Amino acid sequence: SGRMMMPMRHQPDRSQQQQLQTSHHSQQHVQYSGRFPSQQNILHLISLVAPSPHVGSPGAYAEQLQQTHLPKPRQRRSIKNMTPEEQHQFRLEQQARGRQPNGHGPHPHGPQHAGPPPGYMLPSMPVRPPPPPVIKYPIEDTDISPKNNGVVRPPLKALPEIDSSAVGALLEVWNTLNVQAEVYVLDSFTFDDFVAAMRFQHADIKCELLEEMFCAVLKQLVTAQGTIEAELLRSLVLNEDDTPDESTEATPNESKASTPAVDDVPARSTRSRLSQVENAQQATPEPLIPHKAKEVLQGFDWKSALAHREVEDGGWQMILVAVLYQLSRLPSQSESCDRVLAFLAPLDVSPADDPKELVRSRFVQMDVRLRTAALQAITLLSVTTKTLKKFLEQCSEDQTDVRKKKLELQRERKTAIEDLTNKERERSALAPITLPPSPTVEIPADADTVMDTTEGSIATNGAGSSEPEEDAPTANRSLRRSNNDRKRKRDEETARRNAEEQKRKQAAALEEKKKKQYAALVRDCELLKERIMDLEARIADCDDDLREADVQRTKLLGKDRFCNRYYWFERNGQPFGGLPSSSTSTRGYANGRIWVQGPDDLEREGFIDLPKDLQAVYRAHWGMTVPERRQQEEGLTTLKTAHEWGFYETPDELDSLIGWLDDRGEREKKLRREFFEWREKITTYMRAYKAYNDNEAARRLEAEEEPKKGIATRRQTQESEITAKERCMDWRNTMVMDEQKRLHSVNPVKKPTRKEAAAAAKAAAPSAMIGRSGKPLTRQ
């Protein structure tokens, strides 16, 4: 009654007592090990010794104790599994807390090395810069790192004894005359023949190729009716006709003709003003004309001569001088035309005697550069004529027709390929049946065999019967019975054989039918394959026709990293080996080279010759400037301007060039693709070019060593020597001979008038026979 009441403890049952004992042993083990018991064990112990349900549930009490009294366990992480940034941050934290960098115990050198003072802000780790962006090729060619492996571009070759500035004009004229050969009515010719003809210089022997080129181009300027086709030339002639002649004398009534009119002098001017105007007029001299073309053309009607095709005996040379004189009035062409006219009609020669012979002899002595400039000037005039414009329009229409034809052929080829696929599938299905059958043992038809179904043996005519001999009546009955059985069996066997034979014949007929079907499918497949091959050949012909009809402009193969341009002139507008009907088609090639042109001024200033500040930036990045890099990677054969040209002529040089190109650059990637597309064709005609030159050199060597036979005149000997030496002498204009029956450089035969025709007929008529009496004899 007076005793203090103690709170009643919760008495655990048997299972809880066992758990408590296990927890007690584990707690002793933890204490013995010297380690702090885990949080899970403590919560388990608390749940066992928790107060009565009146105070609260064990779970709630454990959760409350966990939130208030027990610290959360810290999961330790090994420093070896950290990233370098995490390791550095961990060491700084340990140093700031006065512990060793590895986190074990205080700092060994005392608290003075324990770390920064309180309030010290730990330095943050430097942020690593982001990785550079991935380069997506292709990029600008000059932005690619230079190659310091010593590999340079293959050295370029140049035409011997010809100025590099004249090569571009030679190629332009040669390409134009070969692409528009139908317009000029000229056989195609190789570039080497063209260069040899432009070099040809002989006063007595004519080069047909040289004269035919100039005459064919000049004929395009003026028609046979006297109409000037070239628009620019027509405007120049009209302006010349409208200009009054300076040689006309002034009439006496015109008092002001002798004094020049001064427009800028006002009505009231001082004496000093007038003196300034006179000095200004005296200070502007008249332009000096470096030729006598006007005096040479005095009294020569070049339009009438060109309309009547009077081109022989220096006629086309005089027409050339007249046309160039008209073009010299243009500021853009005055320099080149004056240079040619100064050679054909020089100031120190008097043209009064025979101007035609003067111009003709001077043209014989003209060098390649001036001849090329003259031919280029008149060729550029001829491309503006209506005839050539109609030719271009016709080629465009032909391209449209060929494209339509190609589409139809492609549809037919697609249909034929589908049919071939179906036929091949059917043939494959029939192929296993038509294999040769396995060999079988045949039984002779005359053998009378009976199958014994019980024993599985064969009995022949009753021989070998195992039936024993019995008495006579029994033997007769059994004999009759066995004979009937054998007859029945023979009939059944015969019927079976007939059925098998019938089945065999049907199977053979079916197999024969399938063999015929198989043979028909094989034949159809072969026909379809031939048709597909024929269609592909016709499609390839359409591609060639499209390529040859593409005459509007010369296509470029591409550019390299330093903006050098690469050309293969046979790519479009002409056959690969020239016209098959040409007189020089046996040469087997047209140009046979890859031509390289230097960069133009805009590209050179924008990519190579950069300003000094940009060159300094490029040097800081790559260790050299763009011109230094170009000299290092191109070698000694560098083309500085667009007027300089070089070429490659062997397949090995082409392969080396392709290997030098870098497809990571924008320009060189396109160029490499074009080279890979046309490499087979290019190398084929490069080999043809080399083979012909080798054979030609051997032929000339044999011609020089061979002794001369027979007696020949001096002129014949000279002509034969020049013909054997100059390759351009083999060319003949067969196209114009087939169409017009005469050459361009030959005057047409004039049609006689009626009186002339009657007189000629009368002179050609046979005279009457005169008798002894002096009278004409009669028919009797």
Side-chain angles (χ1 to χ4, degrees):
S1 59
R3 188 179 298 175
M4 188 176 184
M5 298 296 296
M6 298 294 294
M8 243 182 122
R9 295 185 178 271
H10 175 67
Q11 297 295 332
D13 56 1
R14 185 176 182 86
S15 61
Q16 290 181 352
Q17 289 179 0
Q18 292 178 357
Q19 292 180 1
L20 181 61
Q21 292 176 2
T22 305
S23 302
H24 179 70
H25 290 302
S26 62
Q27 182 178 3
Q28 291 179 354
H29 177 72
V30 169
Q31 293 176 355
Y32 177 76
S33 61
R35 295 184 180 178
F36 192 79
S38 62
Q39 183 179 359
Q40 287 80 6
N41 295 335
I42 293 175
L43 293 177
H44 181 66
L45 292 174
I46 293 173
S47 63
L48 294 178
V49 297
S52 62
H54 303 282
V55 179
S57 62
Y61 182 75
E63 183 177 359
Q64 184 181 1
L65 183 63
Q66 180 183 5
Q67 294 179 359
T68 56
H69 300 285
L70 294 178
K72 294 183 180 180
R74 180 177 179 181
Q75 297 181 357
R76 301 187 60 182
R77 184 179 178 186
S78 177
I79 192 172
K80 296 180 180 180
N81 299 331
M82 298 181 182
T83 61
E85 293 82 1
E86 294 176 349
Q87 292 179 5
H88 183 73
Q89 187 69 22
F90 177 75
R91 291 190 181 95
L92 290 177
E93 291 178 358
Q94 296 297 328
Q95 186 177 5
R97 293 170 183 169
R99 302 182 65 84
Q100 296 184 15
N102 55 4
H104 299 291
H107 201 277
H109 300 288
Q112 64 274 15
H113 300 281
Y120 177 76
M121 184 68 67
L122 292 176
S124 60
M125 289 293 296
V127 181
R128 178 180 296 180
V134 180
I135 301 176
K136 296 183 180 180
Y137 296 104
I139 60 175
E140 167 58 34
D141 298 74
T142 54
D143 291 342
I144 299 174
S145 60
K147 296 181 180 179
N148 298 321
N149 53 3
V151 178
V152 298
R153 187 184 64 182
L156 292 168
K157 298 180 181 179
L159 290 177
E161 301 178 3
I162 292 182
D163 189 6
S164 180
S165 60
V167 176
L170 285 170
L171 289 170
E172 181 182 13
V173 174
W174 172 83
N175 188 54
T176 303
L177 296 182
N178 278 269
V179 169
Q180 283 96 22
E182 292 84 354
V183 178
Y184 297 104
V185 198
L186 281 173
D187 265 9
S188 63
F189 45 89
T190 65
F191 181 73
D192 299 292
D193 293 341
F194 174 65
V195 175
M198 298 298 286
R199 284 176 170 175
F200 186 81
Q201 294 180 350
H202 202 279
D204 300 329
I205 301 175
K206 295 181 179 180
C207 178
E208 183 174 334
L209 177 57
L210 179 64
E211 295 193 353
E212 286 294 299
M213 285 189 299
F214 276 93
C215 293
V217 176
L218 288 173
K219 282 185 178 181
Q220 297 298 319
L221 304 180
V222 179
T223 62
Q225 292 77 23
T227 305
I228 301 178
E229 288 290 321
E231 298 179 0
L232 180 60
L233 184 61
R234 188 190 312 119
S235 61
L236 291 174
V237 172
L238 292 176
N239 292 336
E240 184 184 20
D241 295 339
D242 295 340
T243 303
D245 193 0
E246 297 178 358
S247 60
T248 54
E249 296 181 359
T251 56
N253 296 332
E254 294 177 351
S255 58
K256 296 183 181 181
S258 58
T259 58
V262 181
D263 298 335
D264 57 347
V265 179
R268 294 181 180 181
S269 301
T270 59
R271 187 172 298 176
S272 60
R273 175 61 176 165
L274 290 175
S275 62
Q276 291 177 4
V277 172
E278 292 177 358
N279 294 334
Q281 290 178 353
Q282 294 177 1
T284 57
E286 296 182 359
L288 178 62
I289 300 177
H291 53 78
K292 288 186 177 181
K294 188 174 182 179
E295 289 80 357
V296 169
L297 298 173
Q298 193 72 29
F300 177 73
D301 189 0
W302 66 274
K303 290 177 288 186
S304 176
L306 187 54
H308 293 90
R309 308 309 192 221
E310 298 174 358
V311 292
E312 293 184 2
D313 300 329
W316 66 267
Q317 288 92 341
M318 288 289 292
I319 297 172
L320 177 64
V321 171
V323 174
L324 293 178
Y325 178 68
Q326 295 293 335
L327 292 177
S328 64
R329 298 163 53 189
L330 296 174
S332 59
Q333 301 189 22
S334 61
E335 183 180 357
S336 60
C337 293
D338 287 343
R339 189 166 58 249
V340 177
L341 293 174
F343 188 88
L344 293 176
L347 295 174
D348 55 351
V349 177
S350 175
D353 299 334
D354 191 357
K356 285 187 177 182
E357 181 62 25
L358 170 65
V359 175
R360 190 188 70 82
S361 60
R362 295 291 296 178
F363 185 84
V364 172
Q365 304 172 8
M366 188 180 292
D367 59 359
V368 179
R369 185 172 54 87
L370 295 179
R371 286 182 179 180
T372 305
L375 185 57
Q376 183 188 22
I378 61 176
T379 304
L380 292 177
L381 270 181
S382 65
V383 297
T384 61
T385 58
K386 295 181 180 179
T387 306
L388 198 136
K389 291 180 179 178
K390 291 180 180 179
F391 173 74
L392 297 180
E393 293 175 358
Q394 183 64 36
C395 288
S396 299
E397 295 177 0
D398 293 344
Q399 282 184 306
T400 304
D401 297 339
V402 172
R403 289 191 184 98
K404 293 179 180 178
K405 180 180 178 182
K406 182 181 176 181
L407 288 176
E408 294 177 358
L409 293 175
Q410 287 176 342
R411 293 192 190 98
E412 293 180 7
R413 182 183 64 176
K414 183 179 179 181
T415 306
I417 291 175
E418 292 176 355
D419 295 343
L420 178 61
T421 304
N422 297 332
K423 296 288 184 182
E424 288 286 351
R425 190 180 297 110
E426 295 178 6
R427 185 180 65 84
S428 301
L430 291 176
I433 303 176
T434 59
L435 293 176
S438 59
T440 58
V441 179
E442 296 182 358
I443 301 174
D446 55 352
D448 190 8
T449 60
V450 179
M451 295 296 296
D452 189 1
T453 56
T454 58
E455 299 291 334
S457 60
I458 299 176
T460 317
N461 293 328
S465 177
S466 61
E467 295 180 358
E469 294 182 1
E470 297 178 355
D471 295 339
T474 308
N476 291 334
R477 284 195 302 270
S478 62
L479 181 61
R480 287 193 299 268
R481 188 181 301 113
S482 61
N483 289 336
N484 292 334
D485 293 341
R486 283 196 296 270
K487 184 179 178 181
R488 181 178 54 80
K489 290 180 179 180
R490 281 198 301 267
D491 293 341
E492 292 178 356
E493 184 66 21
T494 302
R496 186 182 62 79
R497 286 182 184 177
N498 293 335
E500 290 179 356
E501 185 68 19
Q502 188 69 21
K503 290 181 180 179
R504 187 181 63 82
K505 289 182 179 179
Q506 291 178 359
L510 181 61
E511 185 177 357
E512 187 67 22
K513 181 180 179 181
K514 290 183 177 180
K515 285 184 179 180
K516 291 181 180 179
Q517 291 178 356
Y518 181 79
L521 287 175
V522 171
R523 185 171 59 254
D524 293 343
C525 290
E526 295 297 329
L527 292 176
L528 285 173
K529 289 179 181 178
E530 293 178 359
R531 176 169 176 76
I532 291 172
M533 292 178 62
D534 179 64
L535 290 172
E536 289 178 351
R538 293 170 64 182
I539 290 173
D541 293 340
C542 290
D543 292 335
D544 290 339
D545 294 340
L546 287 174
R547 184 185 59 81
E548 294 177 10
D550 188 10
V551 299
Q552 281 75 16
R553 62 185 60 84
T554 301
K555 287 190 175 180
L556 183 72
L557 283 176
K559 305 176 185 178
D560 61 9
R561 67 196 68 167
F562 301 115
C563 301
N564 297 308
R565 300 167 182 260
Y566 292 79
Y567 292 92
W568 185 48
F569 289 98
E570 295 96 319
R571 180 185 177 183
N572 68 306
Q574 58 181 317
F576 291 120
L579 293 176
S581 60
S582 175
S583 58
T584 57
S585 60
T586 56
R587 283 162 166 71
Y589 76 98
N591 197 314
R593 302 175 181 90
I594 293 292
W595 288 92
V596 186
Q597 182 188 16
D600 59 16
D601 295 338
L602 292 178
E603 294 171 339
R604 181 172 47 81
E605 295 174 359
F607 293 98
I608 302 173
D609 297 338
L610 303 175
K612 293 183 178 180
D613 53 347
L614 297 180
Q615 293 285 16
V617 173
Y618 197 88
R619 178 187 290 276
H621 193 66
W622 300 116
M624 64 181 72
T625 61
V626 180
E628 293 173 354
R629 176 181 179 180
R630 186 184 185 192
Q631 184 177 2
Q632 174 183 337
E633 297 181 358
E634 287 188 348
L636 300 177
T637 54
T638 299
L639 305 175
K640 298 181 180 179
T641 63
H643 301 288
E644 299 180 0
W645 291 77
F647 62 88
Y648 296 109
E649 59 181 359
T650 62
D652 295 337
E653 293 174 348
L654 178 60
D655 294 339
S656 300
L657 175 63
I658 294 175
W660 177 76
L661 298 175
D662 194 342
D663 57 357
R664 295 178 298 173
E666 295 176 349
R667 293 186 292 272
E668 293 192 357
K669 182 179 181 180
K670 298 178 183 178
L671 181 59
R672 276 174 61 92
R673 185 172 62 248
E674 293 292 332
F675 275 137
F676 280 122
E677 180 180 355
W678 297 100
R679 183 189 176 280
E680 183 178 356
K681 290 290 185 181
I682 294 173
T683 54
T684 299
Y685 292 97
M686 279 183 171
R687 294 188 187 98
Y689 162 76
K690 185 178 184 302
Y692 176 78
N693 287 337
D694 295 342
N695 297 335
E696 186 69 14
R699 185 186 65 83
R700 291 179 184 178
L701 185 60
E702 292 177 0
E704 292 178 359
E705 295 177 354
E706 184 180 359
K708 299 177 182 179
K709 298 180 181 180
I711 301 175
T713 61
R714 181 177 180 182
R715 180 179 178 84
Q716 292 177 349
T717 304
Q718 191 176 12
E719 288 182 359
S720 61
E721 290 178 356
I722 293 176
T723 303
K725 183 178 179 181
E726 299 292 340
R727 55 180 296 167
C728 60
M729 301 298 291
D730 300 335
W731 183 85
R732 296 291 181 271
N733 194 2
T734 58
M735 185 184 294
V736 71
M737 292 298 297
D738 295 339
E739 293 185 9
Q740 303 178 7
K741 308 301 179 184
R742 60 181 177 84
L743 298 175
H744 292 298
S745 56
V746 176
N747 293 341
V749 179
K750 295 182 179 180
K751 294 182 179 181
T753 60
R754 292 182 178 179
K755 293 183 179 180
E756 294 176 351
K762 185 177 181 181
S767 59
M769 298 181 64
I770 306 298
R772 294 180 180 179
S773 60
K775 296 181 179 180
L777 297 177
T778 61
R779 187 173 299 176
Q780 289 78 14

